[in-house]
Amino acid sequence: RDIFVHSVKDNDNITSFDIYRLTNVSSWSFLNQGKQLRTDKDIGRQATPDKEVIIKKGDEVTIWFMPDFNSSGYDFANDFYIEVIYDISAMNKMLSNIILLSGVLYFIVILITYLVASWIFSYTYIRRLDKINTGLGKIAIGDYSTELKGDEEDGISEISTNILSMQTKIKEREEVIRE
């Protein structure tokens, strides 16, 4: 009896552990003196050595099962049933914390992905457009020495090539006008 009582005290989630012998007259706990069966006997009788009966009410889960004493040759124990009652409120709280932590982690991953993508976009496109803009500013004041070359084959390089062509033609026209 003490081994079962200590097992329940050592496990935070088990609130009750009882062994009952279901009879037609009464069903008393072998472990907790004076405690009677608190549920319908038919529910307990649905349990077999191969099948558990699980009843969930709020944060309390009751599991009924029948140990298989017959395979050991103990025929006297046919009507013994074990009832284990779990309090799953701690597990539900842990599940809520896991869901919250997953949401925060998901947000952090999305934020990091956004920041990395922004940095890559800034490095590859904005920097090149800024270089073109600086070159156009120099052309606007008459400095035609700036060369805007595009190494990649994309729209920004095409703009650079067109500006370089325009710069060369403006430079040639200005030289013709000066002569």
Coordinates of all heavy atoms in Angstrom, one line a residue, residues 46-76:
Q46 N -16.1 -1.6 -18.0 CA -15.7 -1.6 -19.4 C -14.3 -1.8 -19.7 O -13.8 -2.2 -20.8 CB -16.1 -0.2 -20.0 CG -17.6 0.0 -20.1 CD -17.9 1.4 -20.6 OE1 -17.1 2.2 -21.0 NE2 -19.2 1.8 -20.4
A47 N -13.5 -1.6 -18.6 CA -12.0 -1.8 -18.7 C -11.7 -3.3 -18.8 O -12.3 -4.1 -18.0 CB -11.3 -1.1 -17.6
T48 N -10.8 -3.7 -19.6 CA -10.4 -5.1 -19.7 C -8.9 -5.1 -19.7 O -8.3 -4.0 -19.8 CB -10.9 -5.7 -21.0 OG1 -10.3 -5.1 -22.1 CG2 -12.4 -5.7 -21.1
P49 N -8.2 -6.2 -19.6 CA -6.8 -6.2 -19.7 C -6.2 -5.7 -21.0 O -5.1 -5.2 -21.1 CB -6.4 -7.7 -19.5 CG -7.5 -8.3 -18.7 CD -8.8 -7.6 -19.2
D50 N -7.1 -5.7 -22.0 CA -6.6 -5.2 -23.3 C -7.1 -3.8 -23.6 O -6.7 -3.1 -24.6 CB -7.2 -6.1 -24.4 CG -6.6 -7.5 -24.3 OD1 -5.5 -7.6 -23.8 OD2 -7.3 -8.4 -24.7
K51 N -8.0 -3.2 -22.8 CA -8.7 -1.9 -23.1 C -8.8 -1.1 -21.8 O -9.3 -1.5 -20.8 CB -10.0 -2.2 -23.7 CG -10.8 -0.9 -24.0 CD -12.2 -1.3 -24.5 CE -13.1 -0.1 -24.4 NZ -14.5 -0.4 -24.4
E52 N -8.3 0.2 -22.0 CA -8.4 1.2 -20.9 C -9.7 2.0 -21.1 O -10.1 2.2 -22.3 CB -7.2 2.1 -20.9 CG -5.9 1.5 -20.6 CD -4.8 2.5 -20.7 OE1 -4.9 3.6 -21.4 OE2 -3.7 2.2 -20.2
V53 N -10.2 2.5 -20.1 CA -11.4 3.4 -20.2 C -10.8 4.8 -19.7 O -10.3 4.9 -18.6 CB -12.6 3.0 -19.3 CG1 -13.6 4.1 -19.3 CG2 -13.1 1.7 -19.7
I54 N -11.0 5.8 -20.6 CA -10.4 7.1 -20.2 C -11.6 8.1 -20.2 O -12.4 8.2 -21.1 CB -9.4 7.6 -21.3 CG1 -8.2 6.6 -21.3 CG2 -8.9 9.0 -21.0 CD1 -7.3 6.8 -22.5
I55 N -11.7 8.8 -19.1 CA -12.7 9.8 -18.9 C -12.1 11.2 -18.6 O -11.2 11.3 -17.7 CB -13.6 9.4 -17.7 CG1 -14.2 8.1 -17.8 CG2 -14.7 10.5 -17.5 CD1 -14.8 7.5 -16.6
K56 N -12.4 12.2 -19.4 CA -11.8 13.5 -19.2 C -12.9 14.5 -18.8 O -13.9 14.6 -19.5 CB -11.2 14.0 -20.5 CG -10.5 15.3 -20.4 CD -9.7 15.7 -21.6 CE -9.0 17.0 -21.3 NZ -8.6 17.7 -22.4
K57 N -12.6 15.2 -17.7 CA -13.5 16.2 -17.2 C -12.7 17.4 -16.9 O -11.9 17.4 -15.9 CB -14.3 15.8 -16.0 CG -15.3 14.7 -16.2 CD -16.0 14.3 -14.9 CE -16.9 13.2 -15.1 NZ -17.5 12.7 -13.9
G58 N -12.7 18.4 -17.7 CA -11.9 19.6 -17.5 C -10.4 19.3 -17.5 O -9.9 18.7 -18.4
D59 N -9.7 19.6 -16.4 CA -8.3 19.3 -16.3 C -8.0 18.0 -15.6 O -6.9 17.7 -15.2 CB -7.6 20.5 -15.5 CG -7.4 21.7 -16.4 OD1 -7.4 21.6 -17.6 OD2 -7.2 22.8 -15.8
E60 N -9.0 17.2 -15.4 CA -8.8 15.9 -14.7 C -9.1 14.8 -15.7 O -10.1 14.8 -16.4 CB -9.8 15.8 -13.6 CG -9.6 14.6 -12.7 CD -10.6 14.6 -11.6 OE1 -10.2 15.1 -10.5 OE2 -11.7 14.0 -11.7
V61 N -8.2 13.9 -15.8 CA -8.3 12.7 -16.7 C -8.2 11.4 -15.8 O -7.3 11.3 -15.0 CB -7.2 12.6 -17.7 CG1 -7.3 11.3 -18.5 CG2 -7.2 13.8 -18.6
T62 N -9.3 10.6 -15.9 CA -9.3 9.4 -15.1 C -9.1 8.2 -16.1 O -9.8 8.1 -17.1 CB -10.7 9.2 -14.4 OG1 -10.9 10.4 -13.5 CG2 -10.7 8.0 -13.5
I63 N -8.2 7.3 -15.7 CA -7.9 6.1 -16.5 C -8.2 4.9 -15.7 O -7.7 4.8 -14.6 CB -6.5 6.1 -17.0 CG1 -6.2 7.4 -17.8 CG2 -6.2 4.9 -17.8 CD1 -4.7 7.5 -18.3
W64 N -9.1 4.1 -16.2 CA -9.4 2.8 -15.6 C -8.8 1.7 -16.4 O -8.9 1.7 -17.6 CB -11.0 2.6 -15.6 CG -11.7 3.3 -14.6 CD1 -12.1 4.6 -14.7 CD2 -12.1 2.9 -13.3 NE1 -12.7 5.0 -13.5 CE2 -12.7 3.9 -12.7 CE3 -11.9 1.6 -12.7 CZ2 -13.2 3.8 -11.4 CZ3 -12.4 1.5 -11.4 CH2 -13.1 2.6 -10.8
F65 N -8.2 0.8 -15.8 CA -7.7 -0.4 -16.5 C -7.7 -1.6 -15.5 O -7.7 -1.5 -14.3 CB -6.3 -0.2 -17.1 CG -5.2 0.1 -16.2 CD1 -4.4 -0.9 -15.7 CD2 -5.0 1.4 -15.8 CE1 -3.3 -0.6 -14.8 CE2 -3.9 1.7 -14.9 CZ -3.1 0.7 -14.4
M66 N -7.7 -2.8 -16.1 CA -7.8 -4.0 -15.3 C -6.5 -4.8 -15.6 O -6.1 -5.1 -16.7 CB -8.9 -4.9 -15.9 CG -9.1 -6.2 -15.2 SD -10.4 -7.1 -16.0 CE -11.1 -8.0 -14.7
P67 N -5.7 -5.0 -14.5 CA -4.5 -5.7 -14.7 C -4.7 -7.2 -15.1 O -5.8 -7.7 -14.7 CB -3.8 -5.7 -13.3 CG -4.9 -5.3 -12.3 CD -6.0 -4.6 -13.1
D68 N -3.9 -7.8 -15.8 CA -4.0 -9.1 -16.3 C -3.4 -10.1 -15.3 O -2.3 -10.6 -15.5 CB -3.4 -9.3 -17.7 CG -3.8 -10.6 -18.3 OD1 -4.6 -11.3 -17.8 OD2 -3.2 -10.9 -19.4
F69 N -4.1 -10.4 -14.2 CA -3.6 -11.3 -13.2 C -3.9 -12.8 -13.7 O -3.2 -13.7 -13.2 CB -4.4 -11.1 -11.9 CG -3.9 -9.8 -11.2 CD1 -4.9 -8.9 -10.8 CD2 -2.6 -9.6 -10.9 CE1 -4.5 -7.7 -10.2 CE2 -2.2 -8.5 -10.2 CZ -3.2 -7.5 -9.9
N70 N -4.8 -13.0 -14.6 CA -5.1 -14.4 -15.0 C -3.9 -15.1 -15.6 O -3.8 -16.3 -15.5 CB -6.3 -14.4 -15.9 CG -7.6 -14.0 -15.2 OD1 -7.7 -14.2 -14.0 ND2 -8.6 -13.5 -16.0
S71 N -3.1 -14.3 -16.4 CA -1.9 -14.9 -17.0 C -0.9 -15.4 -15.9 O -0.1 -16.3 -16.2 CB -1.3 -14.0 -18.0 OG -0.8 -12.9 -17.2
S72 N -1.0 -14.9 -14.7 CA -0.1 -15.3 -13.7 C -0.7 -16.4 -12.8 O -0.1 -16.9 -11.9 CB 0.2 -14.1 -12.7 OG 0.7 -13.0 -13.5
G73 N -1.9 -16.8 -13.1 CA -2.6 -17.9 -12.4 C -3.3 -17.4 -11.1 O -3.7 -18.2 -10.3
Y74 N -3.6 -16.1 -11.0 CA -4.3 -15.6 -9.9 C -5.8 -15.4 -10.3 O -6.2 -14.3 -10.7 CB -3.7 -14.2 -9.4 CG -2.3 -14.4 -8.9 CD1 -1.3 -13.8 -9.6 CD2 -2.0 -15.0 -7.7 CE1 0.0 -13.9 -9.2 CE2 -0.7 -15.1 -7.2 CZ 0.3 -14.6 -8.0 OH 1.6 -14.7 -7.5
D75 N -6.6 -16.4 -10.2 CA -8.0 -16.3 -10.6 C -8.8 -15.4 -9.7 O -9.9 -15.0 -10.0 CB -8.6 -17.7 -10.7 CG -8.1 -18.5 -11.9 OD1 -7.5 -17.8 -12.8 OD2 -8.1 -19.7 -11.9
F76 N -8.4 -15.3 -8.4 CA -9.1 -14.5 -7.5 C -9.2 -13.0 -7.8 O -10.0 -12.3 -7.2 CB -8.6 -14.7 -6.0 CG -7.2 -14.0 -5.9 CD1 -7.2 -12.7 -5.5 CD2 -6.0 -14.6 -6.2 CE1 -6.0 -12.0 -5.3 CE2 -4.8 -14.0 -6.0 CZ -4.8 -12.7 -5.6

